[in-house]
Amino acid sequence: MTEPFDIVIFGGAGDLSFRKLIPALYRSYCEDKLPASSRVIACCRNAQEQSAYLQHADEALQEYLAEGEYRTEAAQAFIKHVYPVELDITESGAFWQTMAELLNEYRQRVRVYYLAIPPAIFGVCCQNLAKYELVDERSRVVVEKPLGYNADTANAINEEIARYFDESAIYRIDHYLGKETVQNLMALRFTNVIFEQLWDAKSIDHVQISISETVGLEGRAGFYNEAGALRDMVQNHLLQLLCLVAMESPHKMKASSIRAEKVKVLESLRPMRGDDVKRHTVRGQYVAGNHKGKLVPGYLEELAEAQSNTETFVALRAYVDNWRWARVPFYLRTGKRMKQRCAEIVIQYKEVSHRVYDRDAGALAPNRLVIRLQPEESIQLTMMAKDLDTLDMRLQPATLNLNFSDTYKKFKSDAYKRLILDAVSANPSLFIHRDEVAHAWAWIDPIIDAWQSDAQDPHLYRAGTWGPEESDELLAEDGFKWFNAGEQH
């Protein structure tokens, strides 16, 4: 069990807090990882939010926990750890003084400041923490993406935070890195010789990394129309997953070694500028369509605007120019209002070099490794085998499936729970270093610049589909197809 700690959630009454953070801390409590005197201090914008907070927190647990997780007795005991406070983050004064007095009841304990607030007020929040002497060697600050809209704004935000916190105390969160299957990806690679020996351009044909969402704007219209899918998803989530697939083995599984290898991958990404962007990227925007038998509105309808060039879908072809991955394409794809909600990594192996069976035995499908992060977490390996339903020599693909919820009966994955507890324990190995942010933006910015100078409208796609046809054509140019969840392959 960890020692008692305080976690302060700035933006405590926001969607992220109720949907993710409060359930994650409840799970920590149920697993005896929230020591008895630990406190969850939730900052509310006004007295009305504060007075209703505990009721709303309980309702959030009932709504967002998985079936069977909510237990009235446990929820009531957990809620006793929650302290809602009224606080105007941007104004110093009585409310900040009250916060300081509350925190200073336990001056020596670990404090985690979770900034579930817009990046524009990260600086003033950290400034007030320092002003009221609430930052010490046992303090850490957790910041949510997006960090800026380009390299310059990201650097400015990082500079503001760095005035008050050392880099070792800054935890930039990407919740995909906290998923157990992502950790299993590294275990799969670096502890199994059968995979590590076949993890390079000699054996792998191409790699696909997809994150698809079925939802639309979900109340994020203002932010999303300024950001778009490239900034919101590719710059962080997809590039981080690419790094974990492509990185060399770290010397040790510690933060500095892992970070060094991820930075090498980002440095090796082949730059895209001008005509390269046209050849290797596709951007799309959804229009009204059918999702699970229900008509859903298009992006412009949700946005309530007549025109917008913001992309809700991105597909791109990337190359990692080093000895391991030379000429192996990495296809990245993400989009809103797509056919299914799914996040997965597909490692597509090459065909066997020599066919020993006659063609009457059937077509040979190359081996494929699928690492699924959501909605369920699983690892699937497809290989060729004999069809046991016939005495004839017939070959067909067979899939070995490791579904964690089936294999591990007590398995309940919660990336936020893991990452919060890692921040408490001062373990930064699953968080993003400032150097990674800088290198990611250095690769993304020229793509954004090329799109803006081109001024072409995004390709349109129906809600409830897998994106625009141009995305399929991007892979078809190389003789490949997207691996779509739930479809026969």
Side-chain angles (χ1 to χ4, degrees):
M1 181 185 293
T2 56
E3 60 182 279
F5 63 89
D6 286 340
I7 177 169
V8 181
I9 305 175
F10 294 100
D15 181 69
L16 175 67
S17 178
F18 284 136
R19 187 185 293 266
K20 297 293 185 182
L21 305 184
I22 293 298
L25 289 161
Y26 168 82
R27 292 185 176 114
S28 300
Y29 170 81
C30 292
E31 296 175 12
D32 293 327
K33 294 177 180 176
L34 193 69
S37 64
S38 294
R39 298 179 297 179
V40 179
I41 300 170
C43 300
C44 305
R45 290 171 295 184
N46 51 54
Q48 183 178 1
E49 272 188 1
Q50 180 188 15
S51 63
Y53 191 86
L54 297 183
Q55 178 184 342
H56 289 164
D58 186 68
E59 292 170 353
L61 292 176
Q62 295 182 55
E63 181 176 358
Y64 296 118
L65 289 172
E67 184 178 353
E69 279 193 283
Y70 180 87
R71 292 180 287 113
T72 301
E73 184 178 346
Q76 290 175 347
F78 165 71
I79 290 295
K80 292 179 181 178
H81 289 266
V82 181
Y83 294 76
V85 298
E86 183 181 359
L87 181 73
D88 185 335
I89 293 171
T90 62
E91 295 289 336
S92 59
F95 290 130
W96 272 100
Q97 186 60 48
T98 301
M99 164 85 84
E101 291 170 1
L102 178 63
L103 286 170
N104 286 334
E105 291 176 12
Y106 300 97
R107 292 189 65 90
Q108 301 305 313
R109 68 171 42 174
V110 168
R111 295 171 180 169
V112 175
Y113 300 114
Y114 201 114
L115 305 190
I117 53 178
I121 55 175
F122 282 0
V124 68
C125 184
C126 294
Q127 181 182 27
N128 279 325
L129 285 170
K131 178 179 178 179
Y132 287 92
E133 299 181 350
L134 299 176
V135 179
D136 59 29
E137 68 279 357
R138 307 203 77 196
S139 302
R140 359 287 201 188
V141 61
V142 179
V143 296
E144 277 277 346
K145 63 96 177 173
L147 277 180
Y149 288 90
N150 53 32
D152 291 340
T153 54
N155 185 60
I157 292 169
N158 280 319
E159 285 291 339
E160 280 192 295
I161 301 171
R163 292 176 191 168
Y164 311 102
F165 289 88
D166 291 334
E167 178 61 32
S168 61
I170 302 172
Y171 290 72
R172 299 172 189 84
I173 195 168
D174 183 334
H175 69 275
Y176 276 88
L177 300 187
K179 291 180 179 291
E180 294 300 320
T181 323
V182 173
Q183 303 313 300
N184 233 341
L185 168 60
M186 290 194 284
L188 192 77
R189 283 195 57 192
F190 302 133
T191 64
N192 295 286
V193 68
I194 60 172
F195 287 114
E196 183 56 13
Q197 293 296 317
L198 301 173
W199 206 268
D200 57 28
K202 294 190 293 291
S203 301
I204 292 175
D205 204 26
H206 70 278
V207 177
Q208 298 181 24
I209 305 176
S210 296
I211 301 177
S212 59
E213 301 177 280
T214 57
V215 298
L217 292 180
E218 287 192 304
R220 301 171 73 218
F223 157 74
Y224 197 88
N225 199 48
E226 291 292 323
L230 188 68
R231 293 184 177 98
D232 188 41
M233 298 295 290
V234 179
Q235 185 271 334
N236 39 73
H237 297 326
L238 285 165
L239 285 187
Q240 283 293 315
L241 294 177
L242 184 150
C243 285
L244 294 180
V245 171
M247 64 188 268
E248 298 298 315
S249 174
H251 173 63
K252 292 286 186 181
M253 294 305 290
K254 61 181 183 179
S256 59
S257 297
I258 294 171
R259 178 179 71 245
E261 297 305 330
K262 288 199 291 182
V263 166
K264 289 178 186 176
V265 174
L266 293 170
E267 288 177 328
S268 299
L269 279 172
R270 184 183 300 175
M272 280 197 273
R273 294 181 175 86
D275 289 341
D276 290 335
V277 176
K278 290 182 180 180
R279 285 197 300 271
H280 298 300
T281 72
V282 173
R283 57 179 178 149
Q285 185 183 98
Y286 64 86
V287 297
N290 187 297
H291 176 64
K292 295 184 177 179
K294 179 182 177 182
L295 181 65
V296 295
Y299 178 73
L300 296 181
E301 295 169 89
E302 287 192 69
L303 189 64
E305 297 282 349
Q307 198 276 335
S308 172
N309 278 338
T310 298
E311 77 285 354
T312 63
F313 174 96
V314 174
L316 56 84
R317 175 171 45 216
Y319 291 92
V320 179
D321 287 334
N322 59 24
W323 72 269
R324 183 183 288 269
W325 297 108
R327 296 181 296 281
V328 174
F330 285 73
Y331 300 101
L332 311 183
R333 174 179 63 166
T334 186
K336 287 188 173 297
R337 289 291 189 202
M338 294 182 73
K339 189 171 184 178
Q340 285 194 29
R341 172 179 174 265
C342 191
E344 59 193 5
I345 300 164
V346 179
I347 310 296
Q348 185 67 58
Y349 285 90
K350 293 182 176 180
E351 296 181 350
V352 292
S353 57
H354 174 65
R355 183 185 178 106
V356 297
Y357 287 97
D358 293 336
R359 302 215 173 262
D360 292 344
L364 300 184
N367 300 132
R368 181 174 59 238
L369 180 67
V370 179
I371 301 161
R372 181 163 294 174
L373 311 179
Q374 65 183 29
E376 77 278 1
E377 302 195 38
S378 64
I379 295 177
Q380 300 174 344
L381 177 62
T382 299
M383 58 183 65
M384 293 303 299
K386 183 185 181 299
D387 183 353
L388 299 183
D389 289 331
T390 177
L391 294 177
D392 297 331
M393 177 50 71
R394 299 285 185 186
L395 299 172
Q396 66 177 17
T399 299
L400 306 178
N401 185 14
L402 173 60
N403 189 306
F404 293 116
S405 59
D406 292 339
T407 305
Y408 304 103
K409 298 303 180 183
K410 296 182 180 180
F411 174 73
K412 285 188 177 64
S413 178
D414 187 327
Y416 278 98
K417 177 193 71 179
R418 178 188 183 113
L419 293 170
I420 288 171
L421 294 176
D422 278 356
V424 171
S425 304
N427 177 9
S429 59
L430 300 181
F431 294 84
I432 302 172
H433 191 272
R434 182 173 178 174
D435 291 347
E436 296 173 60
V437 176
H439 281 93
W441 277 119
W443 190 71
I444 290 290
D445 277 351
I447 300 175
I448 296 172
D449 292 342
W451 283 353
Q452 290 176 342
S453 62
D454 186 41
Q456 280 194 338
D457 293 336
H459 300 290
L460 301 181
Y461 65 98
R462 288 281 179 192
T465 68
W466 285 109
E469 294 179 357
E470 289 77 7
S471 169
D472 296 327
E473 293 168 4
L474 182 70
L475 269 70
E477 291 173 5
D478 300 328
F480 305 136
K481 293 182 179 180
W482 286 110
F483 182 89
N484 293 325
E487 297 183 1
Q488 294 294 322
H489 295 273

